[in-house]
Amino acid sequence: MDEGNTGAGSTIRPTVGMHVKSRFNESWGVGMVCAAQGESVRVLFPGHPERKPVLVPVRSLHVVRAGEWAEAATKVQEREEQAATRAKAASRPARRYATTNQEQALAGFLEAYPGGFTGARYLAEERTPKWEAHQAFEALLGGGKLRAFLQQGQVEEATRCVLEVERKTNLLFPTEKSRLTAALRDAPAAQGFLAALASVLEAPEVDEQTFGDYLKAVEALPGVPGQRVASWTVATLLPFLAQPARHLFLKPVATRAAAERLQLDLHYDSALNWTTYRKVLDLGAALTPLLAPHGCRDLMDVQGYIWLTG
């Protein structure tokens, strides 16, 4: 397919090799699509803070006629080479993730999704698929069913239900999906993980002890060398789908951008820890009243906003 000057209203679906811009973060520049993953694509933007191909929703992009792929690749390569030659002890300015302020991000969201969180496009593309996964969790494992499965020794059945719920979303990368599936084939590890998850869902409040024990259970999931199972996306997916009123799914880059816009320090660490997650919930609590006038109902809508504007 040839590239064309399609403009911001383009309906052409970005595919590998196309040059695109973000509808929400124009300062990232013109990037090139490197790979496609369902309703998302990996794009290398010359101005993105990650400095590597990042996964973004197809619907957050528009195709442009001419790109700057060669220049972008050269800039990334130059940055990598410069970083490699720096002394390890050299100081580096803090990486920035937000390229817009809160007002600009919200304006971009409302422009792309007329009607906000109750608009037809948002519901079809964002909320409905995740809400259906939430309803599946409720039907299969809610109301004490998860704990009952474990007490009856039906770990395999509980695992099957968990994976069925997960498959209804595209929130995990394919590699994360396969690693989680493989890890849960280990019955003792699955037992510990699901028991800790049940405790989190049964707890009157999201507290350090219960959620900390759950994070330890996620870290204990077995993997092969070089293939880490424990990540923030894996750890926060099921609590989020089960209880979207009080748990938030953590996509690190997008979430850090949202926090930066509100000048909120997440104390982010890629290693699973209670402090970071507590701060993520604080971010959700701060965003909810700001988004409520546009129909935001719960942390599922907050997560949708964070992802689409991150």
Side-chain angles (χ1 to χ4, degrees):
M1 180 185 294
D2 294 332
E3 294 177 345
N5 189 7
T6 61
S10 169
T11 58
I12 294 178
R13 182 183 181 85
T15 58
V16 174
M18 283 188 174
H19 296 86
V20 296
K21 277 190 175 183
S22 169
R23 298 181 187 276
F24 304 108
N25 295 284
E26 290 197 358
S27 64
W28 291 352
V30 178
M32 182 174 181
V33 179
C34 305
Q37 295 180 210
E39 291 303 311
S40 301
V41 291
R42 285 196 177 277
V43 183
L44 177 59
F45 291 105
H48 195 281
E50 282 292 276
R51 303 170 186 170
K52 64 182 181 181
V54 292
L55 193 70
V56 294
V58 166
R59 53 191 171 274
S60 71
L61 302 171
H62 66 82
V63 178
V64 298
R65 174 186 293 276
E68 301 172 352
W69 169 245
E71 292 85 346
T74 298
K75 289 178 182 178
V76 170
Q77 182 64 31
E78 288 175 352
R79 283 196 292 265
E80 290 178 348
E81 291 174 353
Q82 291 169 359
T85 59
R86 293 190 186 113
K88 291 184 178 179
S91 61
R92 169 182 286 178
R95 180 178 293 178
R96 292 188 60 81
Y97 293 87
T99 59
T100 57
N101 60 35
Q102 173 62 18
E103 291 73 19
Q104 292 167 333
L106 181 57
F109 170 77
L110 294 174
E111 181 180 358
Y113 292 88
F117 298 98
T118 59
R121 183 183 180 192
Y122 174 81
L123 292 173
E125 296 179 357
E126 281 295 317
R127 181 162 182 102
T128 298
K130 285 179 281 194
W131 189 254
E132 289 176 349
H134 164 67
Q135 291 177 314
F137 191 100
E138 281 290 293
L140 295 170
L141 296 165
K145 295 187 185 77
L146 174 57
R147 181 67 73 185
F149 278 138
L150 299 177
Q151 290 174 340
Q152 295 163 13
Q154 298 183 45
V155 176
E156 185 175 340
E157 178 63 12
T159 298
R160 183 193 67 77
C161 293
V162 161
L163 294 177
E164 181 177 337
V165 171
E166 187 282 321
R167 282 193 293 270
K168 293 182 179 294
T169 74
N170 63 353
L171 294 174
L172 297 183
F173 294 153
T175 52
E176 292 176 316
K177 288 173 177 278
S178 62
R179 290 173 189 176
L180 177 61
T181 300
L184 292 180
R185 293 194 187 107
D186 183 310
Q191 170 79 34
F193 169 72
L194 295 175
L197 173 63
S199 295
V200 165
L201 302 182
E202 294 163 355
E205 298 180 357
V206 184
D207 63 86
E208 180 174 5
Q209 182 62 56
T210 306
F211 203 82
D213 289 344
Y214 169 68
L215 294 179
K216 291 177 183 177
V218 176
E219 290 173 337
L221 290 173
V224 300
Q227 295 187 358
R228 183 169 176 256
V229 178
S231 66
W232 279 115
T233 47
V234 168
T236 56
L237 175 68
L238 292 170
F240 169 70
L241 293 178
Q243 297 177 339
R246 68 173 187 168
H247 286 285
L248 187 58
F249 179 65
L250 199 174
K251 276 279 194 183
V253 173
T255 307
R256 296 174 80 175
E260 195 174 292
R261 286 195 290 264
L262 294 185
Q263 299 183 344
L264 193 157
D265 185 0
L266 293 182
H267 296 283
Y268 180 80
D269 193 324
S270 59
L272 306 183
N273 69 93
W274 164 250
T275 299
T276 294
Y277 189 65
R278 177 66 262 173
K279 290 294 185 179
V280 167
L281 295 183
D282 289 344
L283 171 63
L287 278 172
T288 299
L290 297 179
L291 302 177
H294 307 286
C296 178
R297 287 149 288 218
D298 52 26
L299 294 180
M300 187 170 284
D301 286 336
V302 171
Q303 188 276 328
Y305 171 81
I306 288 173
W307 168 239
L308 291 169
T309 59

